[in-house]
Amino acid sequence: TVSASENASFNYSQAGYCADASDPSPLVTGTTGGSFSAPTGLSIGASTGTVDLSSSTLGTYSVTYITPGSCPDTSSVSLAVNALDDASFTYGALSYCVNGTDPSPASVSLPGGSFSSASGLTVNTSTGEIDLSSGTPGAQTVTYQTAGSCPNSSTVSFSLSPADNAAFSYAQASYCANVSDPLPLVSGLSGGSFSSTTGLSLNTSTGGVDLSSSTAGSYSVTYLTAGACPNTSSFSLTVSASENASFNYSQAGYCADASDPSPLVTGTTGGSFSAPTGLSIGASTGTVDLSSSTLGTYSVTYITPGSCPDTSSVSLAVNALDDAAFAYGALSYCVNGTDPS
């Protein structure tokens, strides 16, 4: 009797599988019911030929099938268990500020994949650049998915910190050059530094403005914090020039019967005059009514009329008339008498 050999033909749908793929089973196109075997490292079901990929060692194996009958046949196919793509990547730091420079990955093991992030953060899917300003402060993650033959993913975690609070202000937006020098109120993070446009005399540590040393004009004062996430804010400040209250009278003193004197205002005109009780003075003109004034020396003050008033004072005296009293020794004389003095 001559019996026909059995047929051990079989195959897998692919010549290689990724280590995380679904476990493959063979298709036996010949005699079924046989057994499978493979070298050490490949985890295979002897009766089914199903390969447990996750339990197998990476590499290429020869899988053999032997039929079960009285005239057994064998055949072998090559099957590879392939490593997952290396999806590792890094950024330059583990923490960032929302107002910092947007970072891109410092290294990507297998370029060409795509990036993604959880809600609360925007990332460029192609380059991995993070839009920090779009992020919500706190813990954030970015995931990279490879596009190779065995796609894989990895995730990088980092912290996102809010920008320092740089809020500050001055009590007023405008100051006259002759008032007390103002200091700012920092309502945010203290300890930073101040700067301004040219012309404003500014203390960079305290933010105090030396008004009298500043040029009149409008300025932008900027405050820079010195915290973990430095931030800036600005305040618009105007310095107005003081008015000039210079004036004088032509003399320092006048006789009580002299013509009433008026001042010469060499500074800002239109202001008002005042003096202590006893000197009769026109408030708007500064003219002194000498005959109505009490004898004495007075301080006359002039104040300018504008938004940045200035004052100055001059001394003015109202002097008594000379004492012209005189007398002779008698009230009558003879024409031939002795000449009297």
Side-chain angles (χ1 to χ4, degrees), residues 52-247:
D52 185 346
L53 295 170
S54 62
S55 299
S56 298
T57 304
L58 302 176
T60 300
Y61 301 89
S62 178
V63 177
T64 299
Y65 175 61
I66 182 169
T67 59
S70 56
C71 290
D73 186 27
T74 62
S75 66
S76 298
V77 297
S78 180
L79 186 143
V81 180
N82 300 318
L84 299 180
D85 294 342
D86 183 356
S88 60
F89 71 107
T90 61
Y91 285 93
L94 296 177
S95 64
Y96 294 95
C97 300
V98 294
N99 60 337
T101 301
D102 293 341
S104 293
S107 65
V108 179
S109 294
L110 184 63
S114 61
F115 296 86
S116 61
S117 64
S119 60
L121 186 71
T122 299
V123 62
N124 185 299
T125 57
S126 299
T127 66
E129 182 180 80
I130 300 171
D131 183 357
L132 296 173
S133 62
S134 72
T136 302
Q140 294 287 356
T141 59
V142 174
T143 299
Y144 179 62
Q145 176 76 43
T146 63
S149 57
C150 287
N152 193 16
S153 65
S154 66
T155 298
V156 168
S157 298
F158 62 93
S159 63
L160 189 59
S161 302
D164 294 343
N165 183 354
F168 80 104
S169 64
Y170 289 89
Q172 299 171 203
S174 180
Y175 290 91
C176 296
N178 60 341
V179 301
S180 298
D181 293 339
L183 285 169
L185 171 64
V186 178
S187 53
L189 182 66
S190 59
S193 59
F194 295 85
S195 61
S196 70
T197 45
T198 304
L200 188 71
S201 182
L202 180 74
N203 185 304
T204 57
S205 298
T206 66
V209 178
D210 185 345
L211 296 169
S212 62
S213 299
S214 299
T215 303
S218 295
Y219 301 92
S220 178
V221 179
T222 299
Y223 177 60
L224 172 64
T225 62
C229 291
N231 194 17
T232 62
S233 66
S234 296
F235 188 91
S236 294
L237 191 74
T238 299
V239 178
S240 299
S242 299
E243 294 165 1
N244 182 358
S246 299
F247 78 105

Side-chain angles (χ1 to χ4, degrees), residues 267-293:
T268 305
T269 59
S272 60
F273 296 85
S274 62
T277 302
L279 188 71
S280 180
I281 190 170
S284 61
T285 63
T287 299
V288 176
D289 185 345
L290 296 171
S291 62
S292 299
S293 298

